[in-house]
Amino acid sequence: MEIEQEGNYNKPKKLKNFMSIKTLLILIYCIFLSVGQISGVLLVRIYYLHGGKRKWLQSLLLTVGFPVLIIPISISYVKKKKKNTNNNNIRLFVTPKLAIFSVILGILLGICSYLYTIGASYLPVSISSLLSSTSLAFTAIFAYFMVKHKFTDYSVNAVVLMMLGSIILGLHMNGDRPIGESNRRYTLGFVMTLVGAALHGLINAGVEYSHVKAGVFVTFDLVMQIQFLISMFSSLFCIIAMIINRDFQAITREAEEFGLGQRKYYMILALSAISLQSMMIGNLGMIFCSSALLSGIVNALLVPIQQIFAVMFLPERFNSDKWMALAMCLWGFASYFYGEYKDSMTNKVTKNKHATLPDQV
């Protein structure tokens, strides 16, 4: 009887430890996402401002840093092998079902990064980041259909507000067109960024759907392996496109003609790859450890920070239309976040009531 009571006593303690580790992982992934997204977007825009033209090259940089993931995967594998002499219990690779999902998501990610790259080449960061934040609205919509996340008044309000913000930017976009940029290209960048945000929302929901459907327990190893596979297939897709487009032959010539010099050209490409891979690790990690919606919320929250850095380091201005769109974006974010917080508190109270019922009986 005492042993049974002791076992029951240890269960909440183990659950508490698991939740604290999960919270720590979410915090780490949030830092990766924040640093990578802010620096990566600025570096991509600097590349285009000073003469860069290779869109598939920039698309590749989003995931080309995936080999670095071999390091944490290998370290984790070696540690587990030392602790457990039975090698049959050590899983290095994901399940076949997850591998198939990774191929599909990797190709979609390659297309999504290309769409975003078109937007980054023609639009100021202040515009592209606001449009990209609508991925939260698209994530909510796709998550509703794919993983049955419920729509609430708060989430609907957030979706409507973010869409209205994009419409405001669309109606007044001519006033902020970069010098020398044609109206056709500016419109193309605007539309492609919105389509990219929609595809980004689909990918976020798809990543959550993949591990829910596969029915696997989410661990650090699994997250790293999935990220490796998705990034690898996305990189292969972009490399094939670059070969067809003959981008590899043009890199040397582009470096020589780059406005900031050849050395800084390669430096910007290297830093972009590191920053964007950091963003990828943070984004996918948060989806696996929490949900696609939390990742979308953090992405939306980073928008005002990106605006500040864009105005500070790039030749951009922040007019009244952008302030209005930003206010709507933040209002939508606050509405969505409050709704999620309210639901979590309601669920917590319900669980506590159920937990105290046996004691009362």
Side-chain angles (χ1 to χ4, degrees), residues 17-153:
N17 290 335
F18 172 75
M19 292 303 293
S20 63
I21 292 170
K22 189 177 179 181
T23 304
L24 179 62
L25 280 174
I26 291 173
L27 180 61
I28 292 170
Y29 288 132
C30 183
I31 293 170
F32 271 94
L33 175 60
S34 302
V35 174
Q37 182 167 317
I38 293 169
S39 59
V41 170
L42 290 176
L43 288 165
V44 170
R45 185 58 185 164
I46 290 171
Y47 166 82
Y48 286 114
L49 283 174
H50 294 280
K53 296 177 182 177
R54 304 290 110 190
K55 294 178 179 61
W56 279 114
L57 172 61
Q58 285 296 324
S59 304
L60 175 65
L61 293 181
L62 178 67
T63 53
V64 75
F66 75 91
V68 75
L69 296 174
I70 295 174
I71 298 172
I73 291 173
S74 301
I75 292 172
S76 177
Y77 177 73
V78 170
K79 283 184 177 179
K80 283 190 174 182
K81 195 172 183 181
K82 286 181 180 179
K83 287 182 181 178
N84 193 349
T85 54
N86 185 7
N87 294 332
N88 292 327
N89 293 332
I90 302 172
R91 286 177 58 187
L92 182 60
F93 299 104
V94 297
T95 62
K97 188 178 285 188
L98 277 175
I100 294 169
F101 278 125
S102 298
V103 175
I104 297 169
L105 291 170
I107 294 171
L108 289 176
L109 181 60
I111 298 170
C112 178
S113 60
Y114 181 70
L115 294 173
Y116 271 147
T117 300
I118 294 174
S121 64
Y122 299 141
L123 300 176
V125 171
S126 51
I127 291 285
S128 62
S129 60
L130 281 169
L131 293 175
S132 299
S133 68
T134 59
S135 63
L136 172 60
F138 290 113
T139 299
I141 293 169
F142 286 118
Y144 172 77
F145 291 105
M146 296 175 71
V147 287
K148 306 303 179 186
H149 276 297
K150 292 181 180 178
F151 263 123
T152 63
D153 295 338

Side-chain angles (χ1 to χ4, degrees), residues 34-329:
S34 302
V35 174
Q37 182 167 317
I38 293 169
S39 59
V41 170
L42 290 176
L43 288 165
V44 170
R45 185 58 185 164
I46 290 171
Y47 166 82
Y48 286 114
L49 283 174
H50 294 280
K53 296 177 182 177
R54 304 290 110 190
K55 294 178 179 61
W56 279 114
L57 172 61
Q58 285 296 324
S59 304
L60 175 65
L61 293 181
L62 178 67
T63 53
V64 75
F66 75 91
V68 75
L69 296 174
I70 295 174
I71 298 172
I73 291 173
S74 301
I75 292 172
S76 177
Y77 177 73
V78 170
K79 283 184 177 179
K80 283 190 174 182
K81 195 172 183 181
K82 286 181 180 179
K83 287 182 181 178
N84 193 349
T85 54
N86 185 7
N87 294 332
N88 292 327
N89 293 332
I90 302 172
R91 286 177 58 187
L92 182 60
F93 299 104
V94 297
T95 62
K97 188 178 285 188
L98 277 175
I100 294 169
F101 278 125
S102 298
V103 175
I104 297 169
L105 291 170
I107 294 171
L108 289 176
L109 181 60
I111 298 170
C112 178
S113 60
Y114 181 70
L115 294 173
Y116 271 147
T117 300
I118 294 174
S121 64
Y122 299 141
L123 300 176
V125 171
S126 51
I127 291 285
S128 62
S129 60
L130 281 169
L131 293 175
S132 299
S133 68
T134 59
S135 63
L136 172 60
F138 290 113
T139 299
I141 293 169
F142 286 118
Y144 172 77
F145 291 105
M146 296 175 71
V147 287
K148 306 303 179 186
H149 276 297
K150 292 181 180 178
F151 263 123
T152 63
D153 295 338
Y154 301 101
S155 59
V156 171
N157 186 45
V159 170
V160 172
L161 285 169
M162 288 186 167
M163 291 304 180
L164 284 175
S166 299
I167 292 170
I168 288 172
L169 291 175
L171 292 174
H172 300 86
M173 63 184 181
N174 287 329
D176 197 47
R177 188 169 65 245
I179 298 172
E181 201 73 78
S182 67
N183 187 51
R184 179 179 168 277
R185 286 186 173 183
Y186 192 79
T187 304
L188 178 65
F190 193 95
V191 173
M192 290 298 102
T193 305
L194 270 181
V195 176
L199 188 54
H200 187 191
L202 174 62
I203 292 169
N204 284 345
V207 170
E208 186 174 354
Y209 175 83
S210 67
H211 76 77
V212 169
K213 270 292 180 183
V216 293
F217 184 73
V218 177
T219 63
F220 174 79
D221 297 325
L222 179 68
V223 172
M224 289 294 106
Q225 290 167 23
I226 289 291
Q227 286 180 355
F228 182 89
L229 289 174
I230 292 176
S231 298
M232 181 180 70
F233 287 112
S234 176
S235 297
L236 288 173
F237 179 80
C238 292
I239 287 171
I240 292 170
M242 285 182 69
I243 292 171
I244 295 171
N245 202 40
R246 297 185 178 179
D247 282 344
F248 287 106
Q249 295 90 324
I251 291 175
T252 305
R253 185 177 66 256
E254 187 176 77
E256 293 171 353
E257 298 171 355
F258 193 62
L260 298 176
Q262 190 171 353
R263 184 180 176 184
K264 288 187 178 179
Y265 174 84
Y266 291 112
M267 188 182 297
I268 287 171
L269 291 184
L271 290 174
S272 297
I274 294 169
S275 298
L276 294 172
Q277 187 61 51
S278 171
M279 182 182 72
M280 274 293 300
I281 291 172
N283 186 54
L284 293 178
M286 288 187 71
I287 293 172
F288 270 95
C289 289
S290 181
S291 68
L293 296 178
L294 178 61
S295 176
I297 288 171
V298 174
N299 273 294
L301 187 60
L302 290 173
V303 169
I305 303 173
Q306 283 180 296
Q307 308 285 350
I308 294 168
F309 277 92
V311 173
M312 286 173 59
F313 297 106
L314 298 175
E316 296 190 13
R317 58 191 179 88
F318 210 74
N319 56 30
S320 58
D321 296 324
K322 291 180 185 177
W323 278 115
M324 189 176 293
L326 177 60
M328 286 192 168
C329 175

Side-chain angles (χ1 to χ4, degrees), residues 345-355:
M345 292 303 292
T346 303
N347 293 334
K348 191 175 181 181
V349 170
T350 305
K351 285 180 181 178
N352 288 337
K353 283 183 178 178
H354 286 303

